Amino acid sequence: MTASAMEVKSLDLAARTIDLTTALIKATASTGSLVKGAWEIGQWLGREKLNQYELLDCMEKAAGLVFANRNGLGLFEDIIRGLDTQPVGPLFLQQSGSLGRLMAGDPDLSWVVSTVACLFQHHRDENLVTDTLTSLIMRFHRSRQQECFTVHDTGVYNHEQTRVRAVVKKIVLSVWFNVVNTGCDTIPLPQELQSVCERGHYLDPDDFGIVTNIITTQCPSEAILQTTHLLRDVLLWLLLHYDGTIVVTVSGHVTYKVELGNQRRELEVRVKSACPEDGSCCSAGGESYEIHRHVSGKFEEFFTGHSISGYSDVPPRPGIRQKLYDIPRPYPSDSKIQRKGIQVRLRQTALSMMRWMLDVPLCPQVGFSSHGFTAQPGKQRTAEEQITISHILKRSPAMINLEWGTFPTFQAVFLDITPEHLGFSPGDLSSSSNATNVDTWDLERQLALILNYFPILEDILTGVSVECLCSECSESDRRGAAGQHPRKVGSCPKPGCLKRLALEEILLLLAHGVADGFGVSDASSISDANPIVRGMATLLIQLVYEKSIYWDTWFTVSSCVYLGCPFQQPVLSTHPAFGGTSFAAIQYGNLATVAPWLDLTKEIAVRGCFGLIGSRGRLGVITKGDNQYTQFRSVEENLAIIETENTEDTTSFCSRYKKATSLIDHQSKMDRDKSTVESDVILYQSDDRFYRLLLRIKTKSHWRIVDPSDALNGVIRMLPSTSCRHTPEAAEPPEMEPRSAMVYTMDEVLGRWPDLIQSYPTSQNDDANRNNGTFHLTNILDTHLKKNVALALSVCPTAVPNCPDFACMTCTVNYAKQAERVPLRDGESGNLANRYIINLLPRLTEQDETVQLRLLAGPTTPTADKG
């Protein structure tokens, strides 16, 4: 046996004798930064399917090539400390363990993060950023190794550079997901320099590496960079990494000067002239540049170059977070869709549709399918107190107050048509076939269906078609009146047609309006708008065709705008992750959105219930193992969707241990509830991207899983409370015959409600049966947590809130007896004559937890603090 074979065999034997359990415990429980860092990198390598030796080779080549100056150091401070440490309901936040964030804390590699963030200030194309960083690493590395190489050598295949590029691309994506997309930006290019050219000029990846390498490594004292136009990407990189004084002159005038370190080192960036203010400048032949360095008392020309930019027809789009309603347009600047007249009409159309949407009346769901509301598009509010979409949003979208103009009032926005008008047969409507299941349709069929309901879209597409030269629009023009006929289902403008671009841009504006209503303050710089278009199309179809407002869809569309994540609908029954009730949170990189109703310790109201909480960090829960060590169990960083779990059924317990009924009359009084209620959470992974959150409510006698989304539905379906109608001077309330009732402490509510209702057959709630029902009353609850749990557990039967300070027992029982609401879910409402009365204090407290957990930022292990 050879020596090499013996060595391999000894390593294999050592691996077999490792105590893997002990090693894993030490790695996960260690508070040492080196062990935690190695553990996080190992997880990242596994997620990205990278070889550790390729990563090590790339990091060795990049280490210590450049160092950031004080401008760049501010970015690293924001990355390392930029964490929302406040818990979001039952979920907690921890710093991302991605390599892109970890590199910011390494002095030798942090320049890679600042370089990527700098390039994303101007470019959203990750391939361009990858090529630029790869060129930068290879040129700096070769300079450090003093290798002889041809300046323009990227056209020649180089296996070493190809191997480095594969790793660099993963690093670039990690930095975007976990740093740039979370709002951690470098300093912007100063306004004095941006005003030199409104359009912006840039170098291709190879020339960027040449210029920055020469200035950084081969110009130790004074140097001049002479360009025809101001190069934004190069200049911003120098402002973050150059160690010395930078002076920018335009046509001989000093426009900008800053000292960034070494006073003996100076770089003059000499720009030939400013560009026209209208942004009409162009560089058909590319960007030329010259580098002069100071040698023996004079400047000598050291290098000249010419950059052939590959994006002269499509303006670069920034990859940093954008303002709402700043819709990305990935098409040439001279495209007809960019014309001012068309853009004005597109925005007017989107504004008219948004104003129409906000006025759509809503009511509690009829026929439960997903948490939300039943919509009544095309109808007017029947009462002043009836809510509309504008009421359920967290805030009014700023879009409605923008000066975009609107169409005349006689312009028809919406047309309420029947499914038969769309060509569906009675057989299709009576079955669950794919013909009427629009969720299974492709995007083209969905867009075509939307056009049938919104004449305002047809009108603008007809106007845009005049400008389009595609075969479909040209044929329509030749036929003349063909555009006046209703569009059939299945007909949709093809991709690339101006009508399709216009339709998608309107949907993007509407999606931004929805996200604005959810409380989103800015938007992710997406590279592909199709997920948002698909999401908004689904939302509109559910609104006008299914007459429904689904929380999952609205929450996901808003998250797509805010996070930049793909659009995801609830999975079908055949999917392994099927069974969740509602989307509670979405994680995308180091940014997350969370449903506010997930926190049952706070008040949940119908008005403003459709909103989200955006947080920087990685979502997870804090648990304790058998060894009593606290652990942070997080979700997958790339993309994770957290769903809530169904409420645990207690029918078996209630059947075995039946609660006896008692009699109540007008003199009965409710005691204040003294039960102690706590909660904790369980988080487990049900599929590659789906997680299930189990909210466990604890009292003295019962631990039960409760669905927090049922609390939201309970609030939506909650009937109004009552007050006494008799004269307040009366010493005693009106007499009432004794009635059959069950009075519950909060401990009993948790263990029993809705208390055997599934054992009763559904019956008609006529006058005869109404008098045969049982009244289920709670003690007087004093916290929002108790109230929300009671609402969640009584979401299906008829339940009313009551404040005993304002209503006597007689008035309360009479009101509850007459109250009525449609059962939410079939088979869960039991005896319709039963009534549930939730007694409450006039003012509830927000906190009922006896134990509050706080997550410490950084690599330390989370601890539990007694509150």
Side-chain angles (χ1 to χ4, degrees), residues 8-78:
V8 170
K9 185 176 181 179
S10 63
L11 289 173
D12 180 57
L13 180 61
R16 290 186 214 170
T17 58
I18 289 177
D19 186 346
L20 292 178
T21 303
T22 301
L24 186 61
I25 291 175
K26 288 183 178 180
T28 54
S30 173
T31 58
S33 59
L34 288 178
V35 176
K36 295 294 289 185
W39 174 260
E40 296 284 10
I41 291 175
Q43 287 186 308
W44 183 82
L45 286 170
R47 287 195 302 268
E48 299 297 334
K49 298 178 175 61
L50 274 180
N51 185 288
Q52 66 268 32
Y53 299 109
E54 293 177 351
L55 174 62
L56 181 61
D57 176 66
C58 178
M59 293 171 69
E60 287 177 341
K61 285 183 170 62
L65 295 180
V66 190
F67 294 93
N69 54 33
R70 67 170 184 265
N71 286 335
L73 293 177
L75 171 67
F76 308 144
E77 185 73 14
D78 188 21

Side-chain angles (χ1 to χ4, degrees), residues 473-762:
C473 294
S474 300
E475 182 180 355
S476 178
D477 291 340
R478 287 193 298 268
R479 288 184 302 176
Q484 300 176 4
H485 295 297
R487 184 178 298 272
K488 296 181 179 180
V489 175
S491 174
C492 175
K494 295 181 179 179
C497 173
L498 284 185
K499 294 191 295 184
R500 178 65 172 266
L501 293 177
L503 180 58
E504 291 180 351
E505 190 153 326
I506 292 171
L507 293 180
L508 287 173
L509 288 169
L510 290 174
H512 277 235
V514 170
D516 192 357
F518 265 66
V520 169
S521 57
D522 55 13
S524 173
S525 179
I526 55 174
S527 57
D528 182 13
N530 282 332
I532 299 180
V533 172
R534 176 62 184 260
M536 193 63 212
T538 302
L539 185 151
L540 288 176
I541 288 175
Q542 292 173 350
L543 175 62
V544 300
Y545 178 75
E546 300 182 23
K547 305 292 192 294
S548 296
I549 301 287
Y550 295 141
W551 160 263
D552 288 348
T553 303
W554 287 65
F555 176 68
T556 309
V557 168
S558 301
S559 298
C560 286
V561 174
Y562 180 68
L563 303 175
C565 64
F567 176 72
Q568 177 68 55
Q569 291 181 269
V571 296
L572 301 176
S573 58
T574 55
H575 195 278
F578 176 76
T581 55
S582 286
F583 289 175
I586 299 178
Q587 179 83 52
Y588 194 59
N590 199 36
L591 202 62
T593 54
V594 183
W597 46 259
L598 197 59
D599 188 358
L600 296 187
T601 64
K602 292 182 170 57
E603 181 181 10
I604 302 175
V606 175
R607 291 178 180 265
C609 63
F610 270 40
L612 60 78
I613 302 171
S615 302
R616 187 193 301 182
R618 180 170 53 177
L619 292 172
V621 299
I622 297 177
T623 61
K624 280 189 177 182
D626 294 337
N627 55 7
Q628 295 303 307
Y629 283 112
T630 56
Q631 298 175 343
F632 181 77
R633 296 189 176 181
S634 63
V635 299
E636 174 64 41
E637 290 182 344
N638 290 350
L639 176 62
I641 299 173
I642 300 177
E643 295 181 289
T644 50
E645 177 74 4
N646 263 312
T647 296
E648 189 175 358
D649 181 27
T650 59
T651 301
S652 176
F653 170 81
C654 296
S655 299
R656 186 172 183 179
Y657 303 99
K658 296 181 179 180
K659 182 177 175 64
T661 59
S662 59
L663 296 177
I664 59 171
D665 57 18
H666 59 282
Q667 295 181 335
S668 300
K669 302 290 183 182
M670 295 294 104
D671 297 327
R672 181 167 177 173
D673 186 76
K674 297 180 180 180
S675 303
T676 299
V677 182
E678 301 176 2
S679 68
D680 62 7
V681 287
I682 303 170
L683 183 69
Y684 72 91
Q685 189 168 4
S686 57
D687 192 54
D688 289 343
R689 63 174 58 175
F690 284 92
Y691 289 76
R692 198 69 57 80
L693 183 71
L694 285 66
L695 178 63
R696 184 167 56 184
I697 307 298
K698 298 179 179 181
T699 57
K700 179 180 179 180
S701 305
H702 300 279
W703 290 12
R704 185 179 182 184
I705 303 298
V706 175
D707 183 1
S709 63
D710 269 348
L712 172 64
N713 246 347
V715 171
I716 293 172
R717 291 168 45 79
M718 186 167 60
L719 297 170
S721 58
T722 188
S723 59
C724 288
R725 301 301 181 185
H726 54 80
T727 57
E729 293 80 9
E732 293 289 336
E735 292 189 7
M736 176 183 69
E737 294 182 3
R739 295 183 180 274
S740 176
M742 296 182 184
V743 180
Y744 301 80
T745 64
M746 191 62 210
D747 184 25
E748 293 177 309
V749 168
L750 180 64
R752 293 182 175 276
W753 273 30
D755 208 354
L756 295 178
I757 64 167
Q758 295 186 25
S759 66
Y760 287 98
T762 301

Side-chain angles (χ1 to χ4, degrees), residues 381-457:
R381 295 172 64 184
T382 56
E384 187 66 28
E385 61 272 10
Q386 185 177 14
I387 62 172
T388 63
I389 290 179
S390 63
H391 294 132
I392 67 171
L393 292 177
K394 184 177 182 179
R395 69 184 185 195
S396 297
M399 176 183 185
I400 62 175
N401 293 316
L402 296 178
E403 295 183 355
W404 288 354
T406 55
F407 284 106
T409 54
F410 59 80
Q411 175 73 43
V413 176
F414 172 72
L415 180 62
D416 192 7
I417 55 180
T418 61
E420 290 81 4
H421 179 81
L422 299 173
F424 295 128
S425 65
D428 291 333
L429 297 174
S430 61
S431 66
S432 57
S433 64
N434 288 339
T436 55
N437 186 9
V438 294
D439 290 341
T440 63
W441 290 9
D442 57 22
L443 180 59
E444 279 66 28
R445 291 191 69 189
Q446 286 188 337
L447 294 178
L449 179 60
I450 290 172
L451 293 176
N452 285 277
Y453 284 97
F454 293 99
I456 192 172
L457 290 177

Side-chain angles (χ1 to χ4, degrees), residues 49 51 177 202 219 224 277-278 292 303 342 367 382-383 472 496 512 526 539 553 586 627 712 751 780 820 822 844:
K49 298 178 175 61
N51 185 288
F177 278 114
Y202 312 92
C219 299
I224 298 175
E277 294 183 358
D278 59 0
H292 303 259
F303 185 79
I342 293 179
T382 56
E472 179 182 340
H512 277 235
I526 55 174
L539 185 151
T553 303
I586 299 178
N627 55 7
L712 172 64
I780 302 175
E820 213 172 323
V822 179
L844 303 178

Side-chain angles (χ1 to χ4, degrees), residues 764-830:
Q764 296 294 327
N765 194 14
D766 51 27
D767 292 337
N769 288 324
R770 187 178 286 126
N771 293 323
N772 296 327
T774 301
F775 289 88
H776 301 258
L777 300 91
T778 69
N779 281 342
I780 302 175
L781 309 182
D782 54 357
T783 69
H784 286 295
L785 178 58
K786 294 178 180 179
K787 171 191 173 183
N788 290 329
V789 171
L791 286 173
L793 297 178
S794 60
V795 68
C796 288
T798 301
V800 296
N802 178 62
C803 181
D805 288 1
F806 303 142
C808 64
M809 184 61 70
T810 302
C811 294
T812 300
V813 169
N814 289 336
Y815 172 72
K817 184 174 64 173
Q818 299 300 322
E820 213 172 323
R821 67 180 183 184
V822 179
L824 179 65
R825 294 184 284 257
D826 291 337
E828 294 186 27
S829 298

Side-chain angles (χ1 to χ4, degrees), residues 81-100:
R81 299 189 180 276
L83 174 71
D84 297 328
T85 56
Q86 293 297 322
V88 185
L91 296 174
F92 288 79
L93 294 158
Q94 192 183 57
Q95 280 285 19
S96 164
S98 68
L99 184 64

